[in-house]
Amino acid sequence: MTTVILRNADCIYTCDDGNRAYRQGYILVRDRRIVEIGNEPWRGQHADISLDLTGCVVIPGLVNTHHHFFQSIARGIPATQRAFAIDWLAGLYPLWAELDPEALYWASMAATAELLLTGATTTADHSYLMPAEDGDFVVSQVNAAADAGIRLHLVRGSMPTMEGDLAARLSPVMGKRLRRLQDRDEELIPAIENAIRAHHDSSRHSMLRIALGPTGVSYARPNFMRKIAEIAKSGDCGLHTHYLPRQLERTLSRQLTGKEPLAVLAESGWLRPGTWFAHCTELNDDEIRAFAANGCGVAHCPRTIVRLGYRVPRIAAMQQEGIRVGIGVDGASSNDSGSMLNEVRLGLLLHRVNTPDDSDPLMEWMTPYQALLMATRNGAAILGRDDIGYLAPEMSADIVAFNLRDVSYVGASCDPIAALLMCGSESRAKLTMVNGRVVVENGKLVSFDEEHVVSEAGAAERRLLSAAERHTGINFSHPAGEGPRVHMI
């Protein structure tokens, strides 16, 4: 039974029910659980491992509520650097269609490395591209999470229908390869049920759970949405999908079902605790009230909103109504970063830009501590966890420390969490501990070799780009639209 003592932290934010914080504090961990938190000096006599956190702010491990690991080997693609969502998808699906289990493993390793280095200890990954004929993509991600040492909620996703006119636009370019992107029920449903049987662990402190959900609400197939909800309910799994919903989505829902999107969700069994939606950039009052009344959560992904030109979501209205809102990094093709800490930093500020002139900042603008709660307690609750998200005895030892002895934090000593979220430029953690295991120390991965991951993920990127260019004739390095051309020599 290994005992670890974390000593001399400048400040420990527990994020517990009492909002307790400890100046000059310690945390004692035994056998993967927190057993004691207090102010120095620690009165104990012996620990197997003692780690000095002088100069650090300590927080619960951050909880990432939305990601797409597979995108981590498709960042900054020139043709999609200036594109709204539908054109961005059209530019990337020909590349993503080349995905295979090996590439997904290294993409997942790269994504989890960046998350662990920036304070995330638990992550949801919405994995909706899994061509049935190419092997077991789920196993690739499960193995990557285990190798990295991160706590994973794998959303076994699907694509029953494509957004807007994408299928028509991509068919001339991709031909038969377009079928790799769309799922067929006779293959998908058994695969989903098998993933739950093989991997879902709903026990307390579990490292792996399965949730379900297509990439978006399929208004053309409400019976499919209902079937997924039924499987999730019987398997005690969460439900997750993208939901904005923009005017195009509202119009499509009315045309195909004669109903508003909210009614489709309700009739399909998606409005329930354990359901959470990504983005929610254009929720109306009825949707906000319904989400709150039914215990649905929201994954707020600030950088993607800026990157793809989405509307800024009504975070204050959601929180005032009682919706749990968490933070999501989102996929690296729509974020180009994978830093959890930087996502929290942007989330603290972004919602301020859409408040009316007559609003009261003291009522509607989040404090740094409220942003921290979004990324810890709220995220854990959204994922249905009572064992992570705050620091207390008997909780999982998911603990992160950031060193504030840096010039970018000078002048912010009166509020350490404001220093971290409002002032800092450094994003690497001094310490990341997941389930009592140190995976990052002094800003370096200790559980696996970062350089090896960079090399293998880079090779996977080049392999997929080459295959996509060969199959489609697309030059992915060519930028779209007007502007100066860089001539590489």
Side-chain angles (χ1 to χ4, degrees), residues 90-126:
L92 286 168
Y93 273 137
L95 174 57
W96 293 339
E98 304 301 328
L99 194 68
D100 57 43
E102 181 186 5
L104 181 57
Y105 174 84
W106 291 112
S108 300
M109 289 297 289
T112 53
E114 199 165 3
L115 289 170
L116 291 169
L117 285 165
T118 58
T121 56
T122 298
T123 182
D125 186 66
H126 190 191

Side-chain angles (χ1 to χ4, degrees), residues 78-93 96 163 165-166 169 244 246 248 282 304-311 333-334 480:
T80 64
Q81 290 172 3
R82 295 184 296 172
F84 287 122
I86 197 73
D87 296 322
W88 171 81
L89 287 170
L92 286 168
Y93 273 137
W96 293 339
E163 187 172 353
D165 63 348
L166 280 174
R169 290 173 63 178
L244 297 167
R246 290 160 291 178
L248 176 67
E282 299 187 37
T304 289
I305 288 166
V306 176
R307 171 69 161 81
L308 294 181
Y310 289 149
R311 300 291 182 264
S333 295
S334 65

Side-chain angles (χ1 to χ4, degrees), residues 10 55-57 402-407 409-410 412 415-417 419-420:
D10 278 16
C56 291
V57 58
F402 291 95
N403 186 6
L404 298 187
R405 299 284 177 90
D406 184 274
V407 69
Y409 302 114
V410 168
D415 189 344
I417 201 61
L420 180 66

Side-chain angles (χ1 to χ4, degrees), residues 214-404:
T215 181
V217 180
S218 182
Y219 300 103
R221 300 190 59 201
N223 288 337
F224 174 83
M225 296 294 295
R226 188 175 301 109
K227 178 65 174 177
I228 295 299
E230 290 169 354
I231 296 172
K233 184 177 181 180
S234 64
D236 191 25
C237 298
L239 285 170
H240 181 55
T241 193
H242 299 100
Y243 186 73
L244 297 167
R246 290 160 291 178
Q247 188 56 49
L248 176 67
E249 188 172 344
R250 297 186 188 281
T251 300
L252 181 65
S253 178
R254 293 173 193 135
Q255 290 175 344
L256 293 176
T257 70
K259 301 179 178 69
E260 293 295 321
L262 183 62
V264 175
L265 290 175
E267 294 176 10
S268 299
W270 275 68
L271 296 185
R272 65 168 178 83
T275 297
W276 78 105
F277 299 98
H279 305 314
C280 296
T281 56
E282 299 187 37
L283 294 190
N284 61 32
D285 290 343
D286 289 341
E287 287 162 332
I288 289 174
R289 284 190 290 266
F291 282 18
N294 289 281
C296 300
V298 169
H300 176 37
C301 305
R303 189 177 170 99
T304 289
I305 288 166
V306 176
R307 171 69 161 81
L308 294 181
Y310 289 149
R311 300 291 182 264
V312 178
R314 299 164 60 196
I315 299 299
M318 295 181 202
Q319 292 177 328
Q320 289 166 8
E321 196 66 34
I323 295 176
R324 287 194 177 98
V325 182
I327 296 290
V329 165
D330 206 1
S333 295
S334 65
N335 183 319
D336 304 306
S337 169
S339 169
M340 184 65 187
L341 179 60
N342 284 340
E343 207 71 31
V344 182
R345 286 168 170 164
L346 182 57
L348 168 61
L349 301 176
L350 180 62
H351 69 286
R352 299 181 180 189
V353 304
N354 73 340
T355 51
D357 291 340
D358 60 352
S359 63
D360 181 356
L362 295 180
M363 294 295 294
E364 297 195 19
W365 290 9
M366 282 187 290
T367 67
Y369 183 66
Q370 287 171 321
L372 176 64
L373 292 178
M374 284 177 64
T376 53
R377 282 190 73 101
N378 284 12
I382 286 168
L383 298 183
R385 307 291 302 228
D386 65 356
D387 50 357
I388 60 172
Y390 64 96
L391 305 177
E394 300 305 318
M395 296 292 285
S396 295
D398 289 12
I399 305 167
V400 179
F402 291 95
N403 186 6
L404 298 187

Side-chain angles (χ1 to χ4, degrees), residues 73-74 77 95 98 103 452-470 476:
I73 51 175
I77 303 298
L95 174 57
E98 304 301 328
H452 182 59
V453 170
V454 170
S455 176
E456 294 292 345
E461 173 201 8
R462 292 187 293 275
R463 179 166 58 81
L464 265 60
L465 280 169
S466 177
E469 290 179 354
R470 186 171 65 253
F476 288 92

Side-chain angles (χ1 to χ4, degrees), residues 59-77:
I59 59 176
L62 301 175
V63 180
N64 175 32
T65 53
H66 185 68
H67 210 311
H68 304 292
F69 287 175
F70 69 87
Q71 294 185 12
S72 294
I73 51 175
R75 306 190 198 211
I77 303 298

